[in-house]
Amino acid sequence: MVRDLLESDRNQTIELVNQFFRKVNELELDGLFRIRPRAATKFTDIYFKLIGTGKVYMRGYFIEEELVSLVIGRIEEKPHLEEERSLFIDLAVTKLGKKKKGYMSELLKDVDEWCLEKNIPSIELRAILKNEEAIQFWNKSSFEPFYIRYRKRVAGT
C-alpha cells in the first residue's frame, strides 16, 4: 500500500535512505562525490520538517508495517520557464531483496497523480551513470533522458 511517510516511519525511512547512500558510496566515482556519515538522518529529518509545507512528496510503499520502497522529492519553482514548476525526485529506492516486485512502479503512479492534483506538469530526477541498476530502471520507465549534467574535479583539490 502506498501512503505518506509519517514521523513514526522515521527509523525505517533513515534505514532505506542509508541503504541508497551506502550504494552510492560503493560506486567508483570521481573521489570527491562521497556521502557523509549520518547524512541519511539529516536528509530524512529535513524532509520530515518540510512535510507541512505542501512542497514535498514523501511517500512509501508498505507491506503491512514494513517500508519496502520510497520516493522523496520537492517542488522546484521555475518562474523563468513556461512550466513554472516541477517535482524534482531527490531519492527513489527499494529495499534490498524487495526489488522487481512493482513497488516502485506503484509509487511512480502515485507521484503522477500527486503532480496532476497540484498542476505540476513535469517530474525530473538525476541518476548517477555508474549506478547501472538505476539507469536500467529509469530507461525502462516512462521517464526520458532530458539533459546531461557534466562534472569535473578542480585541479589541486
Side-chain angles (χ1 to χ4, degrees):
M1 158 183 80
V2 174
R3 70 164 171 79
D4 288 336
L5 293 173
L6 307 172
E7 190 67 36
S8 59
D9 303 314
R10 180 179 178 268
N11 289 341
Q12 286 192 87
T13 302
I14 290 169
E15 180 184 323
L16 205 43
V17 171
N18 209 21
Q19 172 193 303
F20 178 78
F21 286 177
R22 280 192 306 271
K23 164 122 178 146
V24 169
N25 279 345
E26 289 171 3
L27 299 173
E28 286 186 36
L29 302 173
D30 65 0
L32 280 176
F33 193 92
R34 299 229 4 110
I35 299 171
R36 293 180 176 180
R38 294 178 298 287
T41 300
K42 291 176 185 176
F43 177 90
T44 301
D45 287 345
I46 287 168
Y47 270 91
F48 272 122
K49 285 178 186 171
L50 294 171
I51 283 179
T53 66
K55 294 190 177 220
V56 297
Y57 177 95
M58 193 170 179
R59 292 186 177 164
Y61 193 100
F62 288 80
I63 299 175
E64 295 177 19
E65 295 300 313
E66 180 187 11
L67 175 62
V68 294
S69 193
L70 64 77
V71 172
I72 299 174
R74 60 192 151 75
I75 294 175
E76 286 190 337
E77 302 293 336
K78 298 179 176 185
H80 56 287
L81 295 178
E82 287 184 14
E83 69 186 82
E84 294 185 351
R85 53 195 200 142
S86 66
L87 179 72
F88 188 87
I89 295 175
D90 282 309
L91 195 132
V93 61
T94 298
K95 198 176 220 180
L96 293 172
K98 305 287 184 180
K99 297 182 179 196
K100 300 188 188 265
K101 297 187 181 201
Y103 305 134
M104 184 58 66
S105 296
E106 287 300 312
L107 272 169
L108 292 175
K109 286 180 197 171
D110 187 73
V111 170
D112 285 351
E113 291 170 16
W114 188 85
C115 287
L116 282 171
E117 288 170 13
K118 295 197 171 282
N119 293 317
I120 296 172
S122 65
I123 305 166
E124 297 181 21
L125 60 91
R126 282 190 311 233
I128 297 170
L129 289 174
K130 296 258 179 157
N131 188 349
E132 295 173 7
E133 183 181 27
I135 297 296
Q136 288 174 1
F137 175 83
W138 294 114
N139 280 338
K140 289 179 183 174
S141 76
S142 59
F143 285 76
E144 298 175 9
F146 185 67
Y147 48 63
I148 297 174
R149 180 179 177 130
Y150 291 91
R151 183 174 168 89
K152 148 182 157 166
R153 186 173 184 158
V154 177
T157 59

